[in-house]
Amino acid sequence: MSKPRLQFHWFLPTYGDSRYIVGGGHGLPAGAAAGSRPATIDYLTQIARSAEQLGYVGALTPTGAWCEDAWIVDAMLAEATETFKFLIAIRPGLISPTLAAQMAASFQRYSQGRLLLNVVVGGEPHEQRSYGDHSAKEERYERADEFLHILRELWTRTNVTFHGQYYQIENATLPSRPDPLPPLYIGGSSSGAGPVTAKHIDVYLTWGEPTPAVVEKITRIRRLAAQEGRQVRFGIRLHVITRDTAEAAWAEANRLLSALDPETIRSVQAGLAKSEGEGQKRMLALHQGSTLNLEIEPNLWAGFGLVRGGAGTALVGSHAEVAEKIKAYAELGIEEFILSGVPHLEEAYWFAEGVLPRLKAAGLWRHPQQPEVEGGDGLEAETEALVDIPFSPAASRRASVVSSLRQTA
């Protein structure tokens, strides 16, 4: 059996960036996130263009009252990139499914197929209410089920009428359909996430919990999807601190930790404790607000979650150790990795230049701009060296060299 080809995505900090952990996210109010590097389009463009050259497939863009709007930002960044994809949130209940389907089709058309969609059902009651949504958590998953059904129908049919508990749609149609259809992603540890994933989702995401919890999720979602006659791919959302040596990586983790004062930790943890999200509760349980024993399993560190909502764990270690940890996740069935680190520009380089070549040597990764060659015309072998170092003059010249090779083949 062939090895899985892993995909790596980066993250766009549309709330600001820093050399330290920036707060914000699940359970925290607007204005909670801030950084010494403002989230300007120029800076976000730097991150996106660097990530594209380094070999990341695309980037997750957060959603919520504490950051800039993902659709607007990514539409602007699509103009500054060529192949880079954007994982943008769809929030059932905050937008009409017909309008969401139309927006996705337009983005897909004008970006030439570079849209990925992250379904965010919502787990923070105060934030949902600020958008005018007063539904209960269980209702939000039921509504998402109807929403995604209508979305898929509009992408594949010329006329859609739907009468459900939450949506009444009459003779809906789109001026154009997305081509290709944007893959749907979702993350959720609540019981309601399973049936929605099994029926509609392409990639199920987990946060970086200890291995037994990740295995349990993968097993459960696979079983539910099989009952629907479907298969689901799996991904994981993590931060990363990777350096030439383990000592250097842990020194960086300790530097980040030393900047967190106890009062800030207590304040953030009080806000996050209000979250209804099962995943957020699991993140909090990993450290319980304490700075002690943050390495919850080898090379998995829970320090980010002390002052940040959402994904709270990081891979920490030497490039070789982080590569081995990723291989272990791949053996569990994880195929996509959504990573981040602070600052997001520099940390993208640390991972891409230190870890990706090791995964390439193991046959687990290839630069997404390296062409897939069918029929054994020899071009793959001849161009492989061009992306051994993901960001290099050779990599940037790849397209012209490949074209020349094809002309002489």
Side-chain angles (χ1 to χ4, degrees), residues 11-14 41 44-45 48 58-63 68-81 84-89 107 111 114-117:
F11 184 85
L12 294 172
T14 54
I41 283 295
L44 295 173
T45 296
L60 171 66
T61 310
T63 181
E68 301 294 340
D69 180 76
W71 285 92
I72 300 297
V73 170
D74 287 348
M76 299 177 74
L77 294 179
E79 283 294 293
T81 53
F84 202 58
K85 298 182 180 181
F86 298 93
L87 181 51
I88 304 178
F107 195 104
S111 71
R114 293 190 282 142
L115 176 64
L116 312 170
L117 288 175

Side-chain angles (χ1 to χ4, degrees), residues 360-389:
K360 181 179 181 182
L364 292 173
W365 176 83
R366 70 185 300 153
H367 197 292
Q369 295 177 31
Q370 180 180 335
E372 292 278 2
V373 178
E374 298 180 1
D377 63 7
L379 294 182
E380 181 171 345
E382 293 183 68
T383 60
E384 191 164 346
L386 297 174
V387 288
D388 278 341
I389 300 175

Side-chain angles (χ1 to χ4, degrees), residues 170-357:
E170 299 284 347
N171 298 318
T173 189
L174 299 180
S176 65
R177 300 180 199 171
D179 182 23
L181 298 184
L184 297 178
Y185 292 65
I186 198 171
S189 299
S190 302
S191 59
V196 171
T197 300
K199 291 174 64 176
H200 304 288
I201 299 300
D202 300 296
V203 182
Y204 176 83
L205 300 172
T206 178
W207 285 333
E209 299 181 51
T211 299
V214 174
V215 171
E216 185 278 328
K217 283 184 176 181
I218 291 174
T219 302
R220 176 168 52 87
I221 296 299
R222 274 184 177 154
R223 183 183 68 251
L224 291 172
Q227 292 172 359
E228 296 289 338
R230 300 182 67 247
Q231 291 184 335
V232 176
R233 301 195 310 278
F234 295 93
I236 193 167
R237 171 77 179 96
L238 290 157
H239 307 283
V240 63
I241 303 172
T242 178
R243 296 293 185 270
D244 296 336
T245 66
E247 293 76 14
W250 285 108
E252 175 64 9
N254 289 328
R255 184 189 71 83
L256 296 176
L257 185 63
S258 68
L260 306 180
D261 66 87
E263 181 54 38
T264 298
I265 293 174
R266 282 194 294 270
S267 175
V268 171
Q269 291 299 299
L272 294 176
K274 300 175 183 178
S275 173
E276 290 183 348
E278 181 63 27
Q280 186 62 71
K281 293 176 182 177
R282 293 188 180 201
M283 287 287 102
L284 297 181
L286 296 178
H287 51 70
Q288 298 180 340
S290 171
T291 58
L292 303 176
N293 303 316
L294 289 174
E295 190 176 7
I296 56 177
E297 69 179 27
N299 303 110
L300 186 63
W301 185 67
F304 275 80
L306 292 171
V307 293
R308 185 192 187 283
T313 53
L315 301 179
V316 181
S318 68
H319 302 315
E321 289 173 335
V322 171
E324 288 302 314
K325 190 72 173 177
I326 287 172
K327 291 177 187 177
Y329 280 124
E331 291 177 358
L332 300 179
I334 301 293
E335 298 180 45
E336 300 195 28
F337 294 77
I338 300 176
L339 305 175
S340 58
V342 292
H344 287 74
L345 182 60
E346 290 93 321
E347 205 65 44
Y349 281 84
W350 278 113
F351 181 85
E353 294 179 338
V355 178
L356 289 182

